[in-house]
Amino acid sequence: MNRGVAIFLVFLVLAAALLAGGISSRGGRYFDPHLSRGSYPCTLHPDPGKRGPLDWDIDGWIAEPLRKVGEPSLYFEKPAGNTTTLRFTFLPSFTDPVIVRIDDLYGDHPRLTATREKDQVVVREGPDHLVRDLSKAELEPLLAFLESTRVLNLPPDSCLSGIDGVIFLIEANGPDGYRFINRWGVSQGPVYDLGNLMFQLTGWPNGEQGPDRNREGYRSGTGPDGKPWPRPDLTPAPEI
């Protein structure tokens, strides 16, 4: 082995150690490790064929605020029995997220757990952390939406950054497996709509930086090809 090859191998080992150390310092893996090795569409790119993996550091900069408020990893901590858990995370660039989780989504005892930040919602009297049971009637619109759009079959999105920086993340785990569906800066489409349906269950008013972004300043424009940008998701969603 010549000296150049040896130096290169040492560099690779050091880089791997630094990466592992960075992940470890943030608490280890949180999302599906395959997300940083797969190939997924980039719905925001003018080229509809653009694909790539997710950012390797999603276990840090996306997972860290979830860990901060004690949210479990839905990938590594699977729901008990045959139940399904659904979680919406609204993650702005520089502030903590709004998180809405529904456990036992299809079962007899669905339960809502939500955490809000003052910058994202209009704060009224009441807790910033909410836990309560949900009635069947409350869940009917959401369940109907999941059935009609098949949004949980959408693939992840390899675009995770931009001028706006807001991320809409939907996760689910249960008998049908783990789902991770993320979109950046959207103000329409099934991921946006599902997130807001879940947020409405909290009863919290939307704020200036909240998940209801259907205002002129956030609405989608057009790309260089004259087509909508960000690109809308396909409906019904493709199987993955």
Side-chain angles (χ1 to χ4, degrees), residues 35-177:
L35 292 170
S36 59
R37 299 195 294 268
S39 179
Y40 308 106
C42 175
T43 58
L44 303 180
H45 200 277
D47 178 6
K50 174 74 173 178
R51 298 180 67 89
L54 268 68
D55 188 332
W56 62 266
D57 197 31
I58 59 173
D59 287 298
W61 65 284
I62 295 182
E64 187 173 1
L66 290 166
R67 290 193 184 98
K68 179 181 176 181
V69 296
E71 277 292 311
S73 164
L74 295 190
Y75 180 76
F76 290 105
E77 299 178 41
K78 297 180 180 179
N82 289 320
T83 63
T84 296
T85 293
L86 180 69
R87 181 166 64 199
F88 166 53
T89 303
F90 173 76
L91 184 60
S93 299
F94 303 110
T95 53
D96 288 335
V98 172
I99 306 164
V100 183
R101 187 179 80 245
I102 302 174
D103 295 307
D104 199 17
L105 178 66
Y106 300 106
D108 295 328
H109 304 287
R111 192 169 182 81
L112 176 76
T113 302
T115 302
R116 66 179 176 179
E117 275 294 314
K118 293 181 179 180
D119 290 340
Q120 274 80 288
V121 298
V122 178
V123 177
R124 298 286 190 264
E125 291 185 6
D128 293 332
H129 182 70
L130 176 67
V131 179
R132 70 176 183 89
D133 294 330
L134 294 170
S135 68
K136 296 289 186 180
E138 286 180 294
L139 275 181
E140 280 180 4
L142 189 147
L143 296 178
F145 182 84
L146 290 173
E147 179 66 25
S148 64
T149 64
R150 293 192 292 164
V151 59
L152 295 183
N153 288 332
L154 284 169
D157 194 324
S158 60
C159 294
L160 282 173
S161 62
I163 297 173
D164 185 296
V166 170
I167 291 175
F168 283 71
L169 171 60
I170 302 293
E171 294 175 90
N173 204 355
D176 294 330

Side-chain angles (χ1 to χ4, degrees), residues 15-30:
L18 288 172
L19 174 58
I23 292 174
S24 176
S25 68
R26 296 182 180 94
R29 293 288 188 183
Y30 190 89

